Amino acid sequence: MNSFMKDLNTTDVFTIKLVSKEELITRITEFNNTEVCVRKPMCMIQTQNGVGMMPWALTAGSHEHWINTQHILTISPSNKEVGSSYIQSTTGLTI
């Protein structure tokens, strides 16, 4: 796992690129050698007004999802603009 994950802060926003080519914007609540637990993951979508976000699992009954690390290409901290948009989309707070 990446070195920045050692000091994981569950309020940080991360970008996860999956082998399926999906790009998730999310918070990471837990991780181990084989899985990463994400909270309220959003995926990037193309809209008429540019790029937007939508929930990754529209019909899921939970906000947390475990993803096997075999399905993850990379994890990195999201840039500030994307992180702020994610927070606004998932909490309604403007940063």
Side-chain angles (χ1 to χ4, degrees):
M1 211 41 69
N2 295 330
S3 60
F4 60 82
M5 297 285 287
K6 291 178 185 173
D7 299 319
L8 179 68
N9 183 339
T10 58
T11 61
D12 293 340
V13 179
F14 292 91
T15 298
I16 299 176
K17 189 71 169 185
L18 302 177
V19 295
S20 63
K21 299 185 182 177
E22 293 172 287
E23 188 169 323
L24 304 181
I25 311 302
T26 190
R27 289 188 169 143
I28 297 173
T29 58
E30 297 178 57
F31 67 93
N32 58 45
N33 290 334
T34 60
E35 296 176 307
V36 174
C37 184
V38 297
R39 179 157 180 78
K40 294 186 177 182
M42 304 287 277
C43 60
M44 304 301 293
I45 59 167
Q46 185 66 41
T47 69
Q48 291 177 340
N49 299 324
V51 177
M53 292 184 205
M54 66 177 273
W56 179 53
L58 289 172
T59 60
S62 172
H63 290 299
E64 292 192 337
H65 308 275
W66 285 90
I67 301 173
N68 189 300
T69 55
Q70 291 181 347
H71 302 289
I72 297 173
L73 290 174
T74 186
I75 299 173
S76 61
S78 296
N79 68 45
K80 187 176 180 176
E81 181 181 331
V82 169
S84 294
S85 293
Y86 170 84
I87 291 169
Q88 184 174 4
S89 293
T90 58
T91 67
L93 298 173
T94 303
I95 296 179

